[in-house]
């Protein structure tokens, strides 16, 4: 049959799932998009709160991949602005620029601690085996920055986010997120000017839709339906349905089975695999070791306008439970809708089994107020109201050695035909929006264009023949030489 005559079910309407369904519908494919929540966008959606538009924490779009940037611009049109990024680390009541600036670090640490930190860095570089990155997050950052700077700038925040010691966190997380953050580059920038090579997560400017991050996925939903696709919200998929090792459809939570030629899944991979019939014990055991971390956000409404200039601030102080504060006043003015109040989002993380996940909203709001005031950023009298949002299973936890059980699951799922996995949840990858969008694009190419993409091996750090960036006037593309 012609490829456009395929019937496809896409599970999950986050960035990956919504993009896949959007592209399929545009190509005339019969596609149904299923989402358990009453909205599209997943963590990248926007909500209305106290008359303003806010996101689910700090979300920005940035990609160097021309394919992803072209798609994003296709959807957003001209309804975006460039936002100058300012993000800092707050540690011991002092602000540190992020990316790190050497002069700022030395000034804040003081002479004594600066000497100790620089000495620690130098010793790490010259001692036997000191440059060996090792296999854990802790060994990786210590090899790159020395023990003291690793403790100041990476350890506390990472342990808040992941809920495990950095000695139990896999080095892959560091390699993905801070691969090109180099202390030596920072030193060269301070001494000779220029910023050196920057990791793509550390860009100084990013594109942002004037109606909030979620506008991209709302527009995708509209386009899907306009092109004949269907979007089923508040419709959880219970399981994929197989005949032997051939996927033939999906089973809804209601028990109804709907047949499809192909299924693209962005639902949590642990959830999907656990619901397959006749699951081998080895696979079941491997899947049970893979965990997701939950996010809890407390939104606080404040009197007045300017509170601090950052888009977001990382809280590294160990005495604070919160890990990041996002200030929505510092994104684009359109999302404020003329309101004078400021909305801050305070982020916390935990596991399902943690007592913290089961607190009352009142208790969360009181904690957030108390911690925010303790930073000195605001006074208690400025806080007008609070709102709590829980987002389960946000971050795949890269526990040390997680690749081994994930490989067991992956190898088993490879046996199934007509089933692809995309997105942060679906592939157990700590994706940003752009990487999830890319995975969806490649999955569609596999279905319609005889693509041979191995989605399990798609990396967020892949290099391309050409790179691009979005500017205020559109897309700029340049040829580049991939790294060897």
């Amino acid at each position: 049959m012609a490829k456009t005559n395929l019937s496809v079910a896409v599970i999950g309407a986050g960035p990956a799932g919504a993009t896949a369904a959007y592209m399929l519908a545009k190509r005339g494919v019969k596609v149904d998009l299923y989402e358990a929540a009453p909205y599209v966008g997943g963590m990248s959606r926007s909500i209305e709160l106290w008359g303003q538009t806010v996101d689910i924490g700090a979300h920005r779009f940035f990609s160097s991949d021309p394919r992803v940037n072209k798609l994003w611009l296709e959807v957003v049109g001209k309804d975006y602005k460039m936002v100058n990024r300012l993000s800092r680390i707050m540690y011991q009541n002092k602000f540190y620029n992020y990316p790190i600036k050497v002069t700022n670090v030395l000034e804040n640490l003081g002479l004594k601690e600066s000497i100790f930190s620089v000495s620690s860095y130098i010793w790490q570089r010259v001692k036997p085996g000191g440059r060996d990155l090792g296999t854990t997050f802790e060994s990786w950052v210590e090899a790159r920055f020395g023990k003291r700077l690793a403790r100041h700038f990476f350890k506390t925040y990472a342990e808040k986010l992941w809920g495990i010691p950095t000695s139990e966190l896999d080095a892959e997380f560091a390699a993905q997120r801070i691969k090109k953050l180099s202390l030596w580059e920072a030193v060269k920038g301070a001494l000779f000017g220029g910023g050196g090579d920057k990791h793509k997560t550390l860009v100084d400017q990013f594109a942002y839709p004037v109606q909030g991050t979620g506008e991209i996925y709302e527009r995708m939903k509209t386009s899907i339906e306009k092109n004949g696709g269907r979007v089923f919200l508040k419709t959880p998929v219970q399981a994929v349905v197989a005949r032997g090792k051939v996927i033939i459809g999906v089973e809804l939570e209601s028990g109804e089975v709907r047949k499809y030629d192909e299924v693209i899944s962005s639902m949590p991979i642990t959830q999907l695999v656990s619901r397959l019939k006749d699951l081998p014990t080895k696979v079941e055991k491997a899947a049970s070791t893979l965990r997701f971390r939950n996010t809890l956000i407390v939104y606080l409404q404040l009197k007045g306008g300017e509170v601090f200039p950052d888009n977001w601030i990382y809280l590294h102080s160990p005495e604070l439970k919160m890990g990041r504060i996002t200030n929505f006043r510092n994104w684009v003015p359109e999302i404020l809708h003329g309101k004078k109040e400021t909305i801050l989002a305070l982020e916390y993380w935990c596991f399902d089994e943690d007592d913290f996940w089961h607190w009352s909203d009142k208790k969360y709001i009181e904690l957030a107020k108390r911690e925010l005031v303790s930073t000195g950023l605001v006074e208690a009298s400025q806080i007008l109201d609070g709102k709590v949002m829980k987002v389960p299973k946000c971050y795949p936890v890269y526990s040390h050695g997680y690749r081994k059980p994930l490989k067991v699951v992956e190898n088993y799922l490879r046996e199934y035909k007509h089933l692809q996995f995309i997105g942060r949840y679906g592939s157990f990858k700590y994706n940003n929006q752009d990487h999830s969008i890319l995975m969806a694009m490649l999955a569609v190419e596999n279905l319609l264009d005889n693509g041979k993409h191995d989605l399990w091996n798609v990396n967020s750090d892949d290099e391309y023949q050409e790179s691009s960036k979005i500017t205020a006037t559109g897309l700029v593309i340049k040829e580049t030489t991939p790294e060897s």
Side-chain angles (χ1 to χ4, degrees):
M1 61 181 159
K3 295 221 171 176
T4 53
N5 289 335
L6 289 172
S7 61
V8 182
V10 178
I11 307 172
T19 299
Y22 167 78
M23 295 186 68
L24 288 166
K26 276 204 333 172
R27 299 278 296 270
V29 174
K30 180 183 177 182
V31 59
D32 289 342
L33 177 61
Y34 293 94
E35 172 56 53
Y39 45 74
V40 296
M43 276 193 74
S44 296
R45 71 187 185 278
S46 300
I47 61 173
E48 298 301 310
L49 193 59
W50 298 305
Q52 299 184 38
T53 300
V54 297
D55 292 340
I56 311 303
H59 289 281
R60 62 182 178 83
F61 177 82
F62 175 80
S63 177
S64 59
D65 187 332
R67 298 166 294 180
V68 175
N69 282 332
K70 286 177 183 177
L71 179 67
W72 193 87
L73 285 171
E74 172 184 295
V75 177
V76 78
K78 296 182 178 179
D79 299 326
Y80 72 95
K81 287 185 176 179
M82 302 306 296
V83 177
N84 293 321
R85 167 180 170 158
L86 174 60
S87 59
R88 293 180 293 173
I89 294 168
M90 189 175 187
Y91 179 65
Q92 295 180 337
N93 295 318
K94 293 182 179 179
F95 286 103
Y96 295 82
N97 295 97
Y98 192 74
I100 292 171
K101 294 182 179 178
V102 171
T103 52
N104 168 248
V105 170
L106 297 180
E107 180 182 350
N108 278 344
L109 289 180
L111 179 61
K112 182 178 178 181
E113 182 56 30
S114 293
I115 292 172
F116 285 148
S117 295
V118 172
S119 299
S120 174
Y121 171 72
I122 294 173
W123 170 242
Q124 191 72 39
R125 305 296 287 177
V126 301
K127 74 176 184 178
R131 298 193 185 192
D132 180 6
L133 296 176
T135 59
T136 69
F137 181 93
E138 184 168 282
S139 64
W140 198 100
V141 294
E142 286 182 359
R144 289 289 296 269
F145 305 103
K147 287 188 176 183
R148 298 187 81 93
L149 288 175
R151 184 186 68 200
H152 289 317
F153 297 111
F154 300 103
K155 181 178 175 65
T156 306
Y157 182 81
E159 291 184 349
K160 285 184 186 183
L161 175 57
W162 299 108
I164 57 177
T166 51
S167 60
E168 298 176 16
L169 183 62
D170 202 276
E172 187 174 338
F173 172 66
Q176 279 189 10
R177 293 289 157 160
I178 52 180
K179 178 180 179 182
K180 295 180 183 177
L181 178 57
S182 165
L183 187 59
W184 173 237
E185 291 293 335
V187 170
K188 286 196 297 183
L191 295 177
F192 308 114
D197 192 11
K198 293 181 180 179
H199 191 271
K200 69 181 180 180
T201 63
L202 306 179
V203 290
D204 296 322
Q205 196 175 60
F206 58 89
Y208 186 82
V210 295
Q211 297 180 65
T213 292
E215 180 64 16
I216 296 295
Y217 308 105
E218 290 292 342
R219 291 188 180 189
M220 285 185 175
K221 175 180 179 292
T222 299
S223 176
I224 292 165
E225 294 172 330
K226 180 180 178 181
N227 285 297
R230 299 186 296 180
V231 179
F232 297 96
L233 301 179
K234 296 189 288 187
T235 309
V237 169
Q238 175 67 19
V240 292
V241 180
R243 182 181 293 126
K245 290 297 177 68
V246 178
I247 299 299
I248 61 170
V250 299
E251 179 185 348
L252 304 185
E253 200 173 62
S254 64
E256 178 187 357
V257 173
R258 297 183 181 178
K259 292 188 176 181
Y260 295 92
D261 299 313
E262 301 281 345
V263 174
I264 298 175
S265 175
S266 66
M267 72 189 290
I269 190 172
T270 50
Q271 185 174 313
L272 183 143
V273 73
S274 69
R275 295 174 180 176
L276 289 171
K277 293 182 178 180
D278 303 318
L279 191 65
T281 302
K282 180 182 178 181
V283 178
E284 184 178 12
K285 183 177 179 180
S288 70
T289 68
L290 302 175
R291 297 197 295 170
F292 288 89
R293 191 83 162 144
N294 299 339
T295 293
L296 185 136
I297 302 177
V298 180
Y299 294 92
L300 295 179
Q301 183 192 37
L302 309 181
K303 293 178 184 176
E306 183 67 36
V307 178
F308 51 81
D310 308 71
N311 305 109
W312 62 90
I313 295 174
Y314 300 104
L315 288 306
H316 284 214
S317 302
E319 64 273 13
L320 295 175
K321 192 172 181 67
M322 65 176 168
R324 183 168 60 174
I325 304 174
T326 301
N327 185 347
F328 291 104
R329 182 158 288 275
N330 298 331
W331 296 67
V332 295
E334 286 82 355
I335 66 172
L336 306 177
H337 303 305
K339 300 290 184 180
K340 295 181 180 180
E341 294 79 17
T342 291
I343 299 178
L344 303 181
L346 284 63
E347 290 181 65
Y348 298 86
W349 304 290
C350 63
F351 292 111
D352 285 341
E353 64 269 20
D354 293 342
D355 177 67
F356 182 76
W357 186 239
H358 306 284
W359 284 11
S360 67
D361 284 4
K362 180 179 179 181
K363 192 173 180 180
Y364 291 128
I365 292 170
E366 288 305 312
L367 171 67
K369 287 180 179 179
R370 187 168 62 251
E371 291 202 329
L372 180 60
V373 171
S374 75
T375 65
L377 293 168
V378 305
E379 296 179 357
S381 60
Q382 292 178 259
I383 303 173
L384 298 173
D385 202 356
K387 174 75 174 179
V388 175
M389 176 164 293
K390 289 183 173 183
V391 190
K393 293 182 174 58
C394 297
Y395 299 98
V397 180
Y398 285 13
S399 299
H400 185 224
Y402 84 99
R403 275 282 180 184
K404 186 175 180 180
L406 181 59
K407 193 68 176 177
V408 172
V409 173
E410 172 194 327
N411 287 341
Y412 180 71
L413 292 175
R414 283 181 183 275
E415 299 175 12
Y416 285 85
K417 296 181 179 180
H418 307 303
L419 177 63
Q420 296 188 87
F421 298 89
I422 59 174
R424 178 180 286 195
Y425 304 154
S427 61
F428 206 81
K429 291 178 183 287
Y430 186 20
N431 292 352
N432 285 330
Q433 285 185 78
D434 62 305
H435 189 213
S436 288
I437 289 171
L438 174 61
M439 292 188 81
M441 297 174 76
L442 298 180
V444 171
E445 287 182 13
N446 283 346
L447 287 187
L448 303 185
D449 302 317
N450 297 313
K452 304 298 182 183
H453 305 293
D454 185 347
L455 299 182
W456 294 106
N457 292 324
V458 175
N459 294 314
S460 59
D461 243 6
D462 283 345
E463 299 288 341
Y464 306 101
Q465 289 298 124
E466 59 182 9
S467 66
S468 69
K469 66 177 181 179
I470 294 175
T471 68
T473 56
L475 191 65
V476 175
I477 298 179
K478 61 178 182 179
E479 292 186 358
T480 184
T481 303
E483 293 182 353
S484 58

